[in-house]
Amino acid sequence: MRERMLAGDLYVADDPVLTQENRRAMALMEAFNHTPAAAPEERRRLLIELLGGFGEASEIRPPLYCDYGYQTRVGARTFANFGLVVLDVGPVTIGDDVQIGPNVQLLTATHPLSPRLRREKWESAQPINIGDNVWLGGGVIVCPGVTIGGNTVVGAGSVVTRDLPANVVAVGSPARVIRTLED
């Protein structure tokens, strides 16, 4: 099932290998989420162990929640505020210099529309890609399969259901482009 998950195919998460990997992530998250603010080196060490990549001078404030960790890559100088949720059954790539507000959700997991397949616990994932210098306001939800172009700003509480181009401001549910950014 792990190979199916990594390939983006339908899989069942109730698998011994996936369960073991999820427990590893849970243990590392628990340690990270209980690390004192006065121990930034320990927080960084735990994030490097948990995540698939964690860039130089990046910071994630606890609590952090993810499924596996190794599917998430964070670029350099990126900041994520409290309460980041990353359902990383599919790859999540966060660029350099990204600002992530509190309680943001990056959700790669998706489920079949077929009631029978859902009952049988099948699921899949679609990757999320967040470009360099993106700002996700507090409470933003990014849905499976979304790419957000560089320098884009997504307003607080927005739900991003489709790709957003670079250099725009998008707000709402679903998020819609309301203006172009020029530097």
Side-chain angles (χ1 to χ4, degrees), residues 35-53:
T35 303
E41 299 85 12
E42 178 65 6
R43 283 184 177 175
R44 180 163 183 79
R45 184 193 69 73
L46 289 164
L47 289 171
I48 288 170
E49 187 175 349
L50 172 64
L51 302 177

Side-chain angles (χ1 to χ4, degrees), residues 5-154:
M5 181 188 83
L6 294 175
D9 296 333
L10 285 172
Y11 72 99
V12 177
D14 185 16
D15 172 81
V17 173
L18 292 175
T19 298
Q20 180 181 0
E21 290 180 347
N22 179 256
R23 285 184 182 151
R24 173 194 169 275
M26 294 290 185
L28 289 167
M29 281 184 296
E30 181 178 14
F32 172 76
N33 290 338
H34 290 93
T35 303
E41 299 85 12
E42 178 65 6
R43 283 184 177 175
R44 180 163 183 79
R45 184 193 69 73
L46 289 164
L47 289 171
I48 288 170
E49 187 175 349
L50 172 64
L51 302 177
F54 190 62
E56 180 182 339
S58 288
E59 178 183 358
I60 297 175
R61 289 188 173 171
L64 165 68
Y65 303 102
C66 64
D67 285 307
Y68 300 103
Y70 61 78
Q71 292 264 72
T72 299
R73 286 166 179 69
V74 178
R77 300 169 307 281
T78 287
F79 174 78
N81 216 322
F82 307 108
L84 177 62
V85 173
V86 185
L87 298 189
D88 62 349
V89 297
V92 175
T93 304
I94 301 169
D96 297 336
D97 303 300
V98 173
Q99 300 292 311
I100 299 174
N103 300 311
V104 166
Q105 300 177 49
L106 307 176
L107 312 174
T108 68
T110 186
H111 301 274
L113 296 178
S114 162
R116 178 184 57 80
L117 291 176
R118 284 197 316 278
R119 240 186 336 273
E120 294 171 0
K121 306 303 180 205
W122 289 98
E123 59 183 271
S124 64
Q126 296 175 9
I128 291 175
N129 294 292
I130 299 171
D132 294 341
N133 202 37
V134 166
W135 174 19
L136 301 177
V140 166
I141 298 172
V142 180
C143 292
V146 167
T147 294
I148 299 175
N151 302 313
T152 286
V153 175
V154 181

